[in-house]
Amino acid sequence: MAGLPSEQDALTIRRLIIEMLSRAGSGHAGGALGMADVFAVLYRDVLSHKPKNPTWDGRDRVVLSNGHICPVLYATLCHHGYFLEKELWKLRQIGGELQGHPHEKPEWGIETSSGPLGQGLSQAIGMALAARLAAQKHHIYAFLSDGEHQEGQTWEAYMAGAKYATENVTVIIDRNFIQISGVTEHI
């Protein structure tokens, strides 16, 4: 029996992630593979976006605070036609556009640069407030790791979002129970 379209998308995204990381010889597979279903559903069924017009003002925004899982973002954007598949094979290569953490490239659907954990929610809250000032109705989806919730900036961003009632922000936490130094609960 054939799966739902988003299930098929998730399988394609996973295949692209594995091939991309294999060719690069480095990168973070676990988080990227683990979020494939979420990205498949988000880009197919939830997000307002136009791959043929990637900087459209009405588009929803995706902020990847846990930038090390960027292969899932890259594979998803490629799958939806933001750029050609051949660009995936240049991941982490000199002269390639796709690095080990996202580098802002709106024409390819990459809204923000990220690297240090803990900054993405602040970016998302800032985007939400800017949208309010511009009377825009788009939504911002911020992806955070569970470990980066130890960062003070993350909690300050949550408090600012609550204070300023940024109802157009959705936070999605990659609750994978592990971070570089060990199990999240032990750290």
Coordinates of all heavy atoms in Angstrom, one line a residue, residues 78-174:
C78 N 15.4 21.5 -1.7 CA 15.7 20.9 -3.1 C 14.5 20.1 -3.6 O 14.1 20.3 -4.7 CB 16.9 20.1 -3.0 SG 17.3 19.2 -4.5
H79 N 13.9 19.3 -2.7 CA 12.8 18.5 -3.1 C 11.6 19.3 -3.6 O 10.9 18.9 -4.5 CB 12.4 17.6 -1.9 CG 11.2 16.7 -2.2 ND1 11.2 15.7 -3.2 CD2 10.0 16.7 -1.6 CE1 10.1 15.1 -3.2 NE2 9.3 15.6 -2.2
H80 N 11.5 20.5 -3.0 CA 10.4 21.4 -3.4 C 10.7 22.4 -4.5 O 9.9 23.2 -4.9 CB 9.8 22.1 -2.2 CG 9.0 21.3 -1.4 ND1 7.6 21.1 -1.6 CD2 9.3 20.5 -0.3 CE1 7.2 20.2 -0.7 NE2 8.1 19.8 0.1
G81 N 11.9 22.2 -5.1 CA 12.3 23.0 -6.3 C 13.0 24.4 -6.0 O 13.0 25.2 -7.0
Y82 N 13.5 24.6 -4.9 CA 14.2 25.9 -4.6 C 15.5 25.9 -5.3 O 16.0 27.0 -5.7 CB 14.4 26.1 -3.1 CG 13.1 26.6 -2.4 CD1 12.2 25.7 -1.9 CD2 12.9 27.9 -2.3 CE1 11.0 26.1 -1.3 CE2 11.7 28.4 -1.6 CZ 10.8 27.5 -1.1 OH 9.7 27.9 -0.5
F83 N 16.1 24.8 -5.5 CA 17.4 24.8 -6.2 C 17.6 23.3 -6.8 O 16.9 22.4 -6.4 CB 18.6 25.2 -5.4 CG 18.7 24.5 -4.0 CD1 19.4 23.3 -3.9 CD2 18.2 25.1 -2.9 CE1 19.5 22.7 -2.7 CE2 18.3 24.5 -1.7 CZ 18.9 23.2 -1.6
L84 N 18.6 23.2 -7.6 CA 18.8 21.9 -8.3 C 19.5 20.9 -7.4 O 20.3 21.3 -6.5 CB 19.6 22.1 -9.6 CG 19.0 23.0 -10.6 CD1 20.0 23.2 -11.8 CD2 17.7 22.4 -11.2
E85 N 19.2 19.6 -7.6 CA 19.8 18.6 -6.8 C 21.4 18.6 -6.8 O 22.0 18.3 -5.8 CB 19.3 17.2 -7.2 CG 19.6 16.1 -6.3 CD 18.9 14.8 -6.7 OE1 17.7 14.7 -6.7 OE2 19.6 13.9 -7.1
K86 N 21.9 19.0 -7.9 CA 23.4 19.0 -8.0 C 24.0 19.9 -6.9 O 25.2 19.6 -6.6 CB 23.9 19.4 -9.4 CG 23.6 20.8 -9.7 CD 24.1 21.2 -11.1 CE 23.9 22.7 -11.4 NZ 24.4 23.1 -12.7
E87 N 23.3 20.8 -6.4 CA 23.8 21.7 -5.4 C 24.0 21.0 -4.1 O 24.9 21.3 -3.3 CB 22.9 22.9 -5.2 CG 22.8 23.8 -6.4 CD 24.1 24.4 -6.9 OE1 25.0 24.6 -6.0 OE2 24.2 24.7 -8.1
L88 N 23.2 19.9 -3.8 CA 23.3 19.1 -2.6 C 24.6 18.4 -2.5 O 25.2 18.2 -1.5 CB 22.2 18.1 -2.5 CG 20.7 18.6 -2.3 CD1 19.8 17.4 -2.4 CD2 20.6 19.4 -1.1
W89 N 25.1 18.0 -3.7 CA 26.3 17.2 -3.7 C 27.6 18.1 -3.5 O 28.7 17.5 -3.4 CB 26.5 16.5 -5.0 CG 25.2 15.8 -5.5 CD1 24.8 15.7 -6.8 CD2 24.2 15.2 -4.7 NE1 23.5 15.0 -6.8 CE2 23.2 14.7 -5.5 CE3 24.0 15.0 -3.3 CZ2 22.0 14.0 -5.1 CZ3 22.9 14.3 -2.8 CH2 21.9 13.8 -3.7
K90 N 27.4 19.4 -3.3 CA 28.5 20.3 -3.0 C 28.5 20.7 -1.5 O 29.2 21.6 -1.1 CB 28.4 21.6 -3.8 CG 28.5 21.3 -5.3 CD 28.3 22.6 -6.0 CE 28.1 22.4 -7.5 NZ 27.7 23.7 -8.2
L91 N 27.7 20.0 -0.7 CA 27.6 20.2 0.7 C 29.0 20.2 1.4 O 29.8 19.3 1.1 CB 26.7 19.2 1.4 CG 26.6 19.3 2.9 CD1 25.8 20.5 3.4 CD2 26.0 18.0 3.5
R92 N 29.2 21.3 2.1 CA 30.5 21.4 2.9 C 31.7 21.4 2.0 O 32.8 21.1 2.5 CB 30.6 20.3 4.0 CG 29.4 20.4 4.9 CD 29.5 19.3 6.0 NE 30.4 19.8 7.0 CZ 30.2 19.6 8.3 NH1 29.2 18.9 8.7 NH2 31.0 20.1 9.2
Q93 N 31.6 21.8 0.7 CA 32.7 21.8 -0.2 C 33.1 23.3 -0.4 O 32.2 24.2 -0.5 CB 32.4 21.2 -1.5 CG 31.9 19.7 -1.4 CD 32.9 18.8 -0.8 OE1 34.1 18.9 -1.1 NE2 32.5 17.9 0.1
I94 N 34.4 23.5 -0.6 CA 34.8 24.9 -1.0 C 34.2 25.2 -2.3 O 34.2 24.5 -3.3 CB 36.4 24.9 -1.1 CG1 37.0 24.7 0.3 CG2 36.8 26.3 -1.7 CD1 38.5 24.6 0.3
G95 N 33.6 26.4 -2.4 CA 32.9 26.9 -3.6 C 31.4 26.5 -3.6 O 30.7 27.0 -4.4
G96 N 31.0 25.6 -2.7 CA 29.6 25.2 -2.6 C 28.8 26.2 -1.9 O 29.3 26.9 -1.0
E97 N 27.5 26.3 -2.2 CA 26.6 27.2 -1.5 C 26.1 26.7 -0.2 O 25.6 27.5 0.7 CB 25.4 27.6 -2.4 CG 25.8 28.3 -3.7 CD 26.3 29.7 -3.4 OE1 26.0 30.3 -2.4 OE2 27.1 30.2 -4.3
L98 N 26.1 25.4 0.0 CA 25.5 24.8 1.2 C 26.6 24.3 2.2 O 27.4 23.5 1.9 CB 24.6 23.6 0.8 CG 23.5 23.9 -0.2 CD1 22.8 22.6 -0.6 CD2 22.5 24.9 0.4
Q99 N 26.6 24.9 3.3 CA 27.6 24.7 4.3 C 27.1 23.8 5.5 O 25.9 23.5 5.5 CB 28.2 26.0 4.8 CG 28.9 26.8 3.7 CD 30.0 26.0 3.0 OE1 30.8 25.3 3.7 NE2 30.0 26.0 1.7
G100 N 27.9 23.5 6.4 CA 27.5 22.7 7.6 C 26.5 23.3 8.5 O 26.0 22.6 9.4
H101 N 26.3 24.6 8.4 CA 25.3 25.3 9.1 C 24.7 26.3 8.1 O 25.4 26.8 7.2 CB 25.8 26.1 10.3 CG 26.1 25.3 11.5 ND1 27.3 24.6 11.6 CD2 25.4 25.0 12.6 CE1 27.3 23.9 12.7 NE2 26.1 24.1 13.3
P102 N 23.4 26.6 8.2 CA 22.8 27.4 7.1 C 23.4 28.8 7.0 O 23.8 29.4 8.1 CB 21.3 27.6 7.6 CG 21.1 26.5 8.5 CD 22.4 26.2 9.2
H103 N 23.6 29.3 5.8 CA 24.0 30.6 5.5 C 22.9 31.3 4.8 O 22.4 30.7 3.8 CB 25.3 30.6 4.7 CG 25.8 32.0 4.4 ND1 26.4 32.8 5.3 CD2 25.8 32.7 3.2 CE1 26.7 34.0 4.7 NE2 26.3 33.9 3.5
E104 N 22.4 32.4 5.3 CA 21.3 33.1 4.7 C 21.3 33.2 3.1 O 22.3 33.7 2.6 CB 21.1 34.5 5.3 CG 19.9 35.2 4.7 CD 19.9 36.7 5.2 OE1 20.9 37.2 5.8 OE2 18.9 37.3 4.9
K105 N 20.3 32.7 2.5 CA 20.2 32.7 1.0 C 18.7 32.7 0.7 O 18.2 31.6 0.3 CB 21.0 31.6 0.4 CG 21.3 31.7 -1.1 CD 22.2 30.7 -1.6 CE 22.5 30.8 -3.0 NZ 23.4 31.9 -3.4
P106 N 18.0 33.8 0.9 CA 16.6 33.8 0.7 C 16.1 33.3 -0.7 O 15.0 32.6 -0.8 CB 16.2 35.2 0.9 CG 17.3 35.8 1.7 CD 18.5 35.1 1.3
E107 N 16.9 33.5 -1.7 CA 16.4 33.0 -3.0 C 16.5 31.5 -3.1 O 15.9 30.9 -4.1 CB 17.3 33.7 -4.1 CG 18.7 33.3 -4.1 CD 19.6 34.1 -3.2 OE1 19.2 34.8 -2.3 OE2 20.9 34.1 -3.5
W108 N 17.1 30.8 -2.2 CA 17.0 29.4 -2.1 C 16.2 28.9 -0.9 O 16.2 27.7 -0.6 CB 18.5 28.8 -1.9 CG 19.3 28.8 -3.1 CD1 19.1 29.5 -4.3 CD2 20.4 28.0 -3.4 NE1 20.0 29.2 -5.2 CE2 20.9 28.3 -4.7 CE3 21.1 27.1 -2.6 CZ2 22.0 27.7 -5.2 CZ3 22.3 26.5 -3.1 CH2 22.7 26.8 -4.4
G109 N 15.4 29.8 -0.3 CA 14.6 29.5 0.8 C 15.2 29.4 2.2 O 14.6 29.0 3.1
I110 N 16.5 29.8 2.3 CA 17.2 29.8 3.5 C 17.1 31.2 4.1 O 17.8 32.1 3.7 CB 18.7 29.4 3.3 CG1 18.7 28.0 2.7 CG2 19.4 29.3 4.7 CD1 20.1 27.6 2.2
E111 N 16.3 31.3 5.2 CA 15.9 32.7 5.7 C 17.0 33.3 6.6 O 17.1 34.5 6.7 CB 14.7 32.6 6.6 CG 13.4 32.2 5.7 CD 12.9 33.3 4.8 OE1 13.3 34.5 5.0 OE2 12.2 33.0 3.9
T112 N 17.8 32.4 7.4 CA 18.7 33.0 8.3 C 20.0 32.1 8.4 O 20.0 31.0 8.0 CB 18.1 33.0 9.8 OG1 17.9 31.6 10.1 CG2 16.9 33.8 9.9
S113 N 21.0 32.8 8.8 CA 22.3 32.0 9.1 C 22.2 31.5 10.6 O 21.6 32.2 11.4 CB 23.5 33.0 9.0 OG 23.6 33.4 7.7
S114 N 22.8 30.4 10.8 CA 22.8 29.9 12.2 C 24.1 29.1 12.4 O 24.8 28.7 11.5 CB 21.6 29.0 12.5 OG 21.6 27.8 11.8
G115 N 24.4 28.9 13.6 CA 25.6 28.2 14.0 C 25.6 28.0 15.5 O 25.2 27.0 16.0
P116 N 25.9 29.1 16.3 CA 25.8 28.9 17.7 C 24.4 28.6 18.2 O 23.4 29.4 17.8 CB 26.3 30.3 18.3 CG 27.0 31.0 17.1 CD 26.3 30.4 15.9
L117 N 24.2 27.6 18.9 CA 22.9 27.3 19.4 C 22.4 28.4 20.4 O 23.1 29.0 21.0 CB 22.9 25.9 20.2 CG 23.1 24.7 19.3 CD1 23.3 23.5 20.2 CD2 22.0 24.5 18.3
G118 N 21.1 28.6 20.4 CA 20.4 29.5 21.3 C 20.0 30.8 20.7 O 19.4 31.6 21.4
Q119 N 20.3 31.1 19.4 CA 20.0 32.4 18.8 C 18.8 32.4 17.9 O 18.2 33.4 17.7 CB 21.2 32.9 18.0 CG 22.4 33.1 18.9 CD 23.6 33.6 18.2 OE1 23.6 33.7 17.0 NE2 24.7 33.9 18.9
G120 N 18.4 31.2 17.5 CA 17.3 31.1 16.6 C 15.9 31.7 17.0 O 15.2 32.3 16.3
L121 N 15.6 31.4 18.3 CA 14.3 31.9 18.8 C 14.3 33.4 18.8 O 13.3 34.1 18.5 CB 14.0 31.3 20.1 CG 12.6 31.6 20.7 CD1 11.5 31.3 19.7 CD2 12.3 31.0 22.0
S122 N 15.5 34.0 19.2 CA 15.6 35.5 19.2 C 15.3 36.0 17.7 O 14.7 37.0 17.5 CB 16.9 35.9 19.7 OG 17.1 35.6 21.0
Q123 N 15.9 35.3 16.7 CA 15.7 35.7 15.4 C 14.2 35.6 15.0 O 13.6 36.5 14.4 CB 16.5 34.8 14.4 CG 18.0 35.0 14.5 CD 18.7 34.0 13.7 OE1 18.3 32.8 13.6 NE2 19.9 34.4 13.2
A124 N 13.6 34.5 15.4 CA 12.2 34.3 15.1 C 11.3 35.4 15.7 O 10.3 35.9 15.1 CB 11.7 32.9 15.5
I125 N 11.5 35.7 17.0 CA 10.8 36.7 17.7 C 11.0 38.1 17.0 O 10.0 38.8 16.8 CB 11.1 36.8 19.2 CG1 10.9 35.5 19.9 CG2 10.5 38.0 19.9 CD1 9.4 35.1 19.9
G126 N 12.2 38.4 16.6 CA 12.5 39.6 15.9 C 11.7 39.7 14.5 O 11.1 40.7 14.2
M127 N 11.6 38.5 13.8 CA 10.9 38.5 12.6 C 9.4 38.7 12.8 O 8.7 39.4 12.0 CB 11.1 37.1 11.9 CG 12.4 36.9 11.3 SD 12.5 35.2 10.6 CE 14.0 35.3 9.7
A128 N 8.9 38.1 13.9 CA 7.5 38.3 14.2 C 7.1 39.7 14.5 O 6.1 40.2 14.1 CB 7.1 37.4 15.4
L129 N 8.0 40.4 15.3 CA 7.8 41.8 15.6 C 7.9 42.7 14.4 O 7.1 43.6 14.2 CB 8.7 42.3 16.7 CG 8.5 41.6 18.1 CD1 9.6 42.0 19.0 CD2 7.2 41.9 18.6
A130 N 8.8 42.4 13.5 CA 9.0 43.1 12.2 C 7.7 42.9 11.4 O 7.2 43.9 10.7 CB 10.2 42.7 11.5
A131 N 7.2 41.7 11.3 CA 6.0 41.4 10.6 C 4.8 42.3 11.1 O 4.0 42.8 10.3 CB 5.6 39.9 10.6
R132 N 4.7 42.3 12.4 CA 3.6 43.1 13.0 C 3.8 44.6 12.6 O 2.8 45.2 12.2 CB 3.7 43.0 14.6 CG 2.5 43.8 15.2 CD 2.6 43.7 16.7 NE 2.4 42.3 17.2 CZ 2.8 41.9 18.3 NH1 3.4 42.7 19.2 NH2 2.7 40.6 18.7
L133 N 5.0 45.1 12.7 CA 5.2 46.5 12.3 C 4.8 46.8 10.9 O 4.4 47.9 10.5 CB 6.6 46.9 12.6 CG 7.0 47.1 14.1 CD1 8.5 47.3 14.2 CD2 6.2 48.3 14.7
A134 N 5.1 45.8 10.0 CA 4.8 45.9 8.6 C 3.4 45.5 8.2 O 3.0 45.4 7.0 CB 5.8 45.1 7.8
A135 N 2.6 45.1 9.2 CA 1.2 44.7 9.0 C 1.2 43.4 8.1 O 0.3 43.3 7.2 CB 0.3 45.8 8.5
Q136 N 2.1 42.5 8.2 CA 2.2 41.3 7.5 C 1.7 40.2 8.3 O 1.8 40.2 9.5 CB 3.6 41.0 7.0 CG 4.1 42.0 6.0 CD 5.6 41.8 5.6 OE1 6.4 41.2 6.4 NE2 6.0 42.2 4.5
K137 N 1.1 39.2 7.7 CA 0.4 38.1 8.4 C 1.1 36.8 8.3 O 0.6 35.7 8.7 CB -1.0 37.9 7.8 CG -1.9 39.1 7.9 CD -2.3 39.4 9.3 CE -3.2 40.6 9.3 NZ -3.4 41.1 10.7
H138 N 2.4 36.7 7.8 CA 3.0 35.4 7.7 C 3.4 34.8 9.1 O 3.3 35.5 10.1 CB 4.3 35.5 6.9 CG 5.3 36.5 7.4 ND1 5.4 37.8 6.9 CD2 6.3 36.4 8.2 CE1 6.4 38.4 7.5 NE2 6.9 37.6 8.3
H139 N 3.7 33.6 9.1 CA 4.0 32.8 10.3 C 5.5 32.4 10.3 O 6.1 32.3 9.3 CB 3.1 31.6 10.4 CG 3.0 31.0 11.7 ND1 2.0 31.4 12.6 CD2 3.7 30.1 12.4 CE1 2.1 30.8 13.8 NE2 3.1 29.9 13.7
I140 N 6.0 32.3 11.5 CA 7.4 31.9 11.6 C 7.5 30.6 12.4 O 6.9 30.5 13.5 CB 8.3 33.0 12.4 CG1 8.3 34.3 11.6 CG2 9.7 32.6 12.5 CD1 7.3 35.3 12.1
Y141 N 8.2 29.6 11.8 CA 8.4 28.3 12.5 C 9.9 28.3 12.9 O 10.8 28.3 12.0 CB 8.1 27.2 11.5 CG 6.6 27.2 11.2 CD1 6.1 28.0 10.1 CD2 5.7 26.5 11.9 CE1 4.8 28.0 9.8 CE2 4.3 26.5 11.6 CZ 3.9 27.3 10.5 OH 2.5 27.4 10.3
A142 N 10.1 28.2 14.2 CA 11.5 28.1 14.7 C 11.8 26.7 15.2 O 11.1 26.2 16.1 CB 11.6 29.1 15.9
F143 N 12.8 26.1 14.7 CA 13.3 24.8 15.1 C 14.4 25.0 16.1 O 15.4 25.7 15.8 CB 13.8 24.0 13.9 CG 12.7 23.5 13.1 CD1 12.1 24.3 12.1 CD2 12.2 22.2 13.2 CE1 11.1 23.8 11.3 CE2 11.2 21.7 12.5 CZ 10.6 22.5 11.5
L144 N 14.3 24.4 17.3 CA 15.3 24.4 18.3 C 15.7 23.0 18.8 O 14.8 22.1 18.7 CB 14.8 25.2 19.5 CG 14.7 26.8 19.4 CD1 13.6 27.2 18.6 CD2 14.6 27.4 20.8
S145 N 16.9 22.9 19.3 CA 17.3 21.6 19.9 C 16.9 21.6 21.3 O 16.7 22.6 21.9 CB 18.8 21.4 19.7 OG 19.5 22.3 20.5
D146 N 16.8 20.4 21.9 CA 16.5 20.3 23.3 C 17.6 20.9 24.2 O 17.4 21.6 25.1 CB 16.0 18.9 23.8 CG 17.0 17.8 23.4 OD1 18.0 18.1 22.8 OD2 16.6 16.7 23.6
G147 N 18.8 20.6 23.8 CA 20.0 21.1 24.5 C 20.2 22.6 24.6 O 20.6 23.1 25.6
E148 N 19.8 23.3 23.5 CA 19.9 24.7 23.5 C 19.0 25.4 24.5 O 19.1 26.6 24.7 CB 19.9 25.3 22.1 CG 18.5 25.4 21.5 CD 18.5 25.9 20.1 OE1 18.7 27.1 19.9 OE2 18.5 25.1 19.2
H149 N 18.1 24.7 25.1 CA 17.2 25.3 26.1 C 18.0 25.6 27.4 O 17.4 26.1 28.3 CB 16.0 24.4 26.3 CG 15.0 24.6 25.2 ND1 15.1 24.0 24.0 CD2 13.9 25.4 25.2 CE1 14.1 24.4 23.3 NE2 13.3 25.3 23.9
Q150 N 19.3 25.2 27.4 CA 20.1 25.6 28.6 C 20.7 27.0 28.4 O 21.3 27.5 29.3 CB 21.2 24.6 28.7 CG 20.7 23.2 29.1 CD 21.8 22.1 28.9 OE1 22.9 22.4 28.8 NE2 21.3 20.9 28.9
E151 N 20.5 27.6 27.2 CA 21.1 28.9 26.9 C 20.1 30.0 27.4 O 18.9 29.9 27.2 CB 21.2 29.1 25.4 CG 22.1 28.1 24.7 CD 23.6 28.4 24.9 OE1 23.9 29.5 25.4 OE2 24.4 27.5 24.6
G152 N 20.7 30.9 28.1 CA 19.9 32.0 28.7 C 19.2 32.8 27.6 O 18.0 33.2 27.8
Q153 N 19.8 33.0 26.5 CA 19.2 33.7 25.4 C 17.9 33.1 24.9 O 17.0 33.8 24.6 CB 20.2 33.9 24.2 CG 19.6 34.7 23.1 CD 20.6 35.1 22.0 OE1 21.8 35.0 22.3 NE2 20.2 35.4 20.9
T154 N 17.8 31.8 24.9 CA 16.6 31.1 24.5 C 15.5 31.5 25.5 O 14.4 31.8 25.0 CB 16.8 29.6 24.5 OG1 17.9 29.2 23.6 CG2 15.6 28.8 24.2
W155 N 15.7 31.5 26.8 CA 14.6 31.8 27.7 C 14.3 33.3 27.7 O 13.1 33.7 27.8 CB 15.0 31.3 29.1 CG 15.0 29.8 29.1 CD1 16.1 29.0 29.0 CD2 13.9 29.0 29.0 NE1 15.7 27.7 28.9 CE2 14.3 27.7 28.9 CE3 12.5 29.3 29.0 CZ2 13.4 26.6 28.8 CZ3 11.6 28.2 28.9 CH2 12.1 26.9 28.8
E156 N 15.3 34.1 27.4 CA 15.0 35.5 27.3 C 14.1 35.8 26.0 O 13.2 36.6 26.1 CB 16.3 36.3 27.2 CG 17.0 36.4 28.5 CD 18.4 37.1 28.4 OE1 18.7 37.6 27.3 OE2 19.2 37.0 29.3
A157 N 14.3 35.0 25.0 CA 13.5 35.1 23.8 C 12.1 34.6 24.1 O 11.1 35.2 23.6 CB 14.1 34.3 22.6
Y158 N 12.0 33.5 24.8 CA 10.6 33.1 25.2 C 9.9 34.1 26.0 O 8.7 34.4 25.7 CB 10.7 31.8 26.0 CG 10.8 30.5 25.3 CD1 11.9 29.6 25.5 CD2 9.8 30.1 24.4 CE1 12.0 28.4 24.9 CE2 9.9 28.9 23.7 CZ 11.0 28.1 23.9 OH 11.1 26.9 23.3
M159 N 10.6 34.8 26.9 CA 9.9 35.8 27.7 C 9.5 37.0 26.9 O 8.5 37.6 27.0 CB 10.8 36.2 28.9 CG 10.9 35.1 29.9 SD 11.8 35.5 31.4 CE 13.5 35.8 30.8
A160 N 10.4 37.4 25.9 CA 10.1 38.5 25.1 C 8.9 38.2 24.2 O 8.0 39.0 24.0 CB 11.3 38.9 24.2
G161 N 8.9 36.9 23.7 CA 7.8 36.5 22.8 C 6.4 36.6 23.6 O 5.4 37.0 23.0
A162 N 6.5 36.2 24.8 CA 5.3 36.2 25.7 C 4.9 37.7 26.0 O 3.7 38.1 25.8 CB 5.5 35.5 27.0
K163 N 5.9 38.5 26.3 CA 5.6 39.9 26.6 C 5.0 40.6 25.5 O 4.0 41.4 25.6 CB 6.9 40.6 27.1 CG 6.7 42.1 27.3 CD 7.9 42.8 27.7 CE 7.6 44.3 28.0 NZ 8.8 45.0 28.4
Y164 N 5.5 40.4 24.3 CA 5.0 41.1 23.1 C 3.9 40.3 22.3 O 3.6 40.7 21.2 CB 6.2 41.5 22.2 CG 7.1 42.5 22.9 CD1 8.4 42.1 23.3 CD2 6.7 43.8 23.1 CE1 9.2 43.0 23.9 CE2 7.5 44.7 23.7 CZ 8.8 44.3 24.2 OH 9.6 45.1 24.8
A165 N 3.5 39.2 22.9 CA 2.4 38.4 22.3 C 2.6 38.1 20.8 O 1.8 38.4 20.0 CB 1.0 39.1 22.5
T166 N 3.8 37.5 20.5 CA 4.1 37.1 19.2 C 3.4 35.8 18.8 O 4.0 34.7 18.9 CB 5.6 37.0 19.0 OG1 6.1 36.1 20.0 CG2 6.3 38.3 19.1
E167 N 2.1 35.9 18.5 CA 1.3 34.7 18.3 C 1.6 34.1 16.9 O 1.1 33.0 16.6 CB -0.2 35.0 18.4 CG -0.5 35.5 19.8 CD -2.0 35.9 20.0 OE1 -2.7 35.9 19.0 OE2 -2.3 36.3 21.1
N168 N 2.4 34.7 16.1 CA 2.7 34.1 14.8 C 4.0 33.4 14.8 O 4.6 33.2 13.7 CB 2.7 35.3 13.7 CG 3.7 36.4 14.0 OD1 4.0 36.6 15.2 ND2 4.1 37.1 13.0
V169 N 4.4 32.9 15.9 CA 5.7 32.1 16.0 C 5.3 30.7 16.6 O 4.6 30.6 17.6 CB 6.7 32.7 17.0 CG1 7.9 31.8 17.2 CG2 7.2 34.1 16.5
T170 N 5.7 29.7 15.9 CA 5.6 28.3 16.4 C 7.0 27.7 16.6 O 7.8 27.8 15.7 CB 4.8 27.4 15.4 OG1 3.5 27.9 15.3 CG2 4.7 26.0 15.9
V171 N 7.2 27.2 17.8 CA 8.5 26.6 18.2 C 8.4 25.1 18.1 O 7.4 24.5 18.6 CB 8.9 27.0 19.6 CG1 10.2 26.2 20.0 CG2 9.1 28.5 19.7
I172 N 9.3 24.5 17.3 CA 9.3 23.0 17.2 C 10.6 22.6 17.8 O 11.7 23.0 17.3 CB 9.2 22.6 15.7 CG1 7.9 23.1 15.2 CG2 9.3 21.1 15.6 CD1 7.8 23.0 13.7
I173 N 10.6 21.7 18.8 CA 11.8 21.3 19.6 C 12.1 19.9 19.1 O 11.3 19.0 19.2 CB 11.5 21.3 21.1 CG1 11.2 22.8 21.5 CG2 12.8 20.8 21.8 CD1 10.7 22.9 23.0
D174 N 13.4 19.8 18.7 CA 13.9 18.4 18.4 C 14.3 17.8 19.7 O 15.4 17.9 20.2 CB 15.1 18.6 17.4 CG 15.7 17.3 17.0 OD1 15.2 16.2 17.3 OD2 16.8 17.3 16.4

